[in-house]
DNA sequence: TTTCAAAATTCGATATATTCGATATATCAA
DNA sequence: TTGATATATCGAATATATCGAATTTTGAAA
């Protein structure tokens, strides 16, 4: 039952970095020290943690099974080391799983608020395929996931809606209205599609739609930010695909106009999910509280 | 964030034993080693754990505050060290708080079953006043409490009924029926009150009743076990106060007869309680499962 | 007040544990 | 086979933990 956090941290670092050598580099040890520490840990726990598969070290079943308890120990140690510290001082890590690109924009207010409230908590963002989010949360790879699906969760997963939004195609009000028919198929359009993330979710959805309709635009134009996208569209440099919430203001005051497409009705949800059985650390509580707060502000 | 279980165990042992010296004795260290370990722990955690109040070491507020996390760490370590072991091999401690004496009898089947299933889990039984049970569970002094009250629990406490029973005054069927009026006040009875636990709950309740009625018995007679009590009563050596469940068989076959008192209607409950926010370790789960199983068997 | 006993602390000596650096071994791919 | 990559082993240097003896602190008894 004798055990120390140093060896456990080395153990976790090996899993994170993928090799003894890289863990040694990260932790400032030599590789032989890491080998020694793991051997010592294995003796202390009376368990084999790794087995050599070829030139790779792989976690044994026992190693996988004890992970929740290793985390329990390290979490406990982390909480103690944060004792008495204010929100702006506490450290730790929160791992978010977010489906590729699209939702980053939605999450911006959250990420900013989080960094502001607790600058020392490391916010690790895994960008994953939408289908892998739940798995990541179930496996404990991510503490919190952001997902699009509204239903169909296993009951070990707690989920809450953060808001709904639509994908819109927008244009400048000075654009020739005759060119804005995006329903009739087989067209060639003499203007650009402006975007900031060509591989983003909106973009891909819209591309699929345009492909299906065989509507081809002049060229693609990539700019830095979604703000830049909007300004370009307002200056009639082309049209753009945007999430509805990002252009609400401009649609209201007429700086931008929506283009009718058959994608109009497509509604998306931003849902945050986390594992039911996970201990909610103060760090995680802060993240969840902020998600709810940001939602209320919208 | 560097920390080891050795120092934490020493820390916990000091609290348990009440002094550095006793902790050193228990753990097989010298006193100076314990001092060193605590000093080291304080440096690692960057916290003062003890303050000298006179010649006594008292836990600081910080010391109290971090206890849940210390427990979290030691629990985690315990689970790892139990990994792969069968139920009969796993170790650990479960602390029960039981109101003085009375319920020990009711708990006997549970205690036996528990010892049988997991002989290496130490079952610590705190005998407390009924009023202190909830507090003990809330303070984390006890993992599971057994209580008599049916309602009126704070919502941090989970409670479940284990069974109900009554207090009975029993006599031999050969006893002169004329002597068995325990309702009319101011009587002197020419026989003994037999009991095995003079300070037990039943006994005290019955004493109160007899005092109020001013019914005085010949003498008190103390025997070893509740089984002995029953045998004495059957042999007409006197009468006894017993919980109803312990004499069901004898009442049915007529070996004993109930004496009518105004206590007849008094119903007691055995309720087990535990803290909602506590992590339910496999050891604790076993205890809770057995409590439910024993209940079902009754 | 003085004295005593029960605790905790300090400190030097020593045994034990940790880390490094160099080298050996194993595996895969070319 | 050779080169690249990865872990294991071993001895020496260093750091840490423990003990035991002497010291200090404190409350209570004389």
């Amino acid at each position: 039952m004798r055990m120390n956090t140093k060896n456990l941290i080395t153990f976790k670092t090996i899993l994170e970095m993928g090799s003894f050598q890289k863990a040694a580099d990260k932790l400032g040890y030599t590789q032989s020290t890491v080998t020694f520490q793991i051997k010592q840990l294995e003796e202390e726990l009376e368990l084999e943690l790794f087995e050599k598969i070829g030139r790779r070290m792989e976690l044994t079943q026992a190693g996988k099974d004890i992970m929740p308890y290793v985390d329990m120990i390290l979490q406990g140690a982390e909480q103690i080391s944060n004792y008495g510290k204010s929100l702006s001082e506490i450290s730790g890590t929160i791992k978010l799983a977010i489906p590729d690109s699209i939702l980053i924009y939605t999450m911006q207010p959250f990420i900013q608020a989080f960094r502001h409230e607790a600058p020392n908590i490391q916010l690790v963002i895994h960008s994953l395929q939408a289908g892998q989010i739940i798995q990541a949360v179930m496996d404990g790879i991510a503490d919190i996931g952001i997902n699009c699906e509204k239903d169909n969760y296993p009951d070990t997963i707690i989920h809450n809606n953060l808001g709904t939004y639509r994908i819109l195609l927008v244009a400048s009000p000075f654009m020739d209205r005759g060119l804005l028919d995006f329903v009739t198929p087989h067209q060639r359009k003499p203007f650009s599609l402006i975007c900031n993330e060509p591989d983003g979710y909106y973009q891909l959805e819209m591309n699929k739609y345009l492909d299906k309709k065989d509507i081809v635009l002049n060229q693609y134009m990539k700019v830095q930010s979604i703000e830049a996208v909007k300004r370009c569209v307002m200056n009639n440099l082309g049209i753009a695909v945007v999430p509805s919430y990002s252009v609400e203001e401009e649609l209201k005051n007429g700086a931008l106009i929506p283009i009718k497409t058959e994608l109009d009705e497509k509604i998306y949800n931003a849902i945050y999910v986390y594992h039911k059985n996970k201990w909610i650390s103060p760090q995680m509580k802060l993240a969840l509280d902020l998600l709810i707060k940001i939602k209320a502000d919208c």
Side-chain angles (χ1 to χ4, degrees), chain A:
Chain A
M1 242 272 248
R2 186 168 294 192
M3 198 174 308
N4 61 67
T5 51
K6 175 168 50 90
N7 290 359
L8 292 177
I9 289 169
T10 299
F11 177 50
K12 287 279 291 186
T13 307
I14 292 167
L15 300 182
E16 189 187 321
M17 305 299 283
S19 86
F20 282 35
Q21 181 63 60
K22 282 177 194 148
D25 293 343
K26 170 150 189 190
L27 297 172
Y29 294 122
T30 54
Q31 172 264 319
S32 66
T33 298
V34 170
T35 298
F36 173 82
Q37 288 177 342
I38 293 304
K39 217 172 91 183
Q40 188 181 54
L41 188 60
E42 287 181 329
E43 274 164 26
E44 284 167 353
L45 309 187
E46 298 170 54
L47 289 175
E48 299 281 314
L49 296 176
F50 292 100
E51 51 197 351
K52 247 183 161 159
I53 305 290
R55 86 167 87 177
R56 193 159 286 282
M57 298 298 277
E58 243 180 58
L59 205 53
T60 59
Q61 189 56 44
K64 288 175 195 162
D65 292 343
I66 64 163
M67 284 310 295
Y69 305 117
V70 171
D71 288 338
M72 193 164 159
I73 292 171
L74 294 178
Q75 286 264 14
E78 181 171 287
Q79 292 321 125
I80 292 175
S81 79
N82 279 328
Y83 176 78
K85 292 190 178 161
S86 69
L87 202 54
S88 63
E89 292 169 314
I90 68 170
S91 58
T93 304
I94 287 292
K95 283 173 279 187
L96 283 186
I98 305 189
D100 23 47
S101 60
I102 157 179
L103 282 173
I104 295 278
Y105 184 82
T106 329
M107 296 306 292
Q108 213 60 49
F110 164 75
I111 293 168
Q112 275 177 340
F114 192 86
R115 284 220 199 293
H116 179 257
E117 295 270 339
N120 290 306
I121 301 178
Q122 207 190 335
L123 200 55
V124 176
I125 296 178
H126 293 275
S127 191
L128 295 176
Q129 306 280 7
Q132 299 179 304
I133 302 289
I134 297 297
Q135 199 54 48
V137 171
M138 298 231 282
D139 292 351
I141 294 166
D143 301 307
I144 301 174
I146 306 293
N147 207 7
C148 293
E149 274 194 61
K150 194 155 187 174
D151 307 299
N152 229 274
Y153 290 97
D155 56 2
T156 50
I157 295 289
I158 293 174
H159 58 284
N160 271 299
N161 202 323
L162 277 178
T164 56
Y165 56 90
R166 283 174 300 133
I167 291 179
L168 275 185
L169 204 51
V170 292
S172 157
F174 305 111
M175 175 71 78
D176 179 354
R177 302 299 162 110
L179 293 172
L180 297 184
D181 168 16
F182 275 78
V183 177
T184 313
H186 313 300
Q187 298 183 62
R188 297 295 171 273
K189 300 288 187 181
F191 45 73
S192 310
L193 185 59
I194 303 165
C195 63
N196 65 319
E197 287 178 329
D199 298 326
Y201 198 66
Y202 314 123
Q203 213 56 58
L204 296 177
E205 280 292 316
M206 183 54 68
N207 286 349
K208 269 190 247 167
Y209 174 79
L210 295 176
D211 272 4
K212 210 179 68 189
K213 289 276 185 182
D214 185 31
I215 298 175
V216 180
L217 282 98
N218 201 14
Q219 65 177 120
Y220 280 69
M221 186 172 152
K222 188 184 176 312
V223 298
Q224 280 295 321
S225 66
I226 209 157
E227 293 309 316
V229 169
K230 289 196 284 186
R231 224 162 302 128
C232 291
V233 175
M234 284 189 248
N235 290 324
N236 211 2
L237 296 176
I239 63 167
V241 189
V242 291
S244 58
Y245 54 78
S246 70
V247 292
E248 264 168 17
E249 188 62 30
E250 289 84 355
L251 289 177
K252 208 179 290 170
N253 65 29
L256 291 171
I257 57 167
I259 301 172
K260 177 144 188 62
T261 68
E262 282 164 6
L263 268 180
D264 272 4
E265 298 309 308
K266 201 155 190 178
I267 296 284
Y268 290 89
N269 297 288
I271 313 269
Y272 70 87
V273 299
Y274 59 95
H275 198 290
K276 189 184 87 172
N277 295 339
K278 197 178 190 100
W279 179 67
I280 297 183
S281 65
Q283 289 88 335
M284 183 149 162
K285 182 165 176 2
L286 171 65
L288 293 174
D289 287 350
L290 280 179
L291 280 172
I292 291 163
K293 186 165 174 297
I294 299 293
K295 171 194 175 181
D297 290 351
C298 284

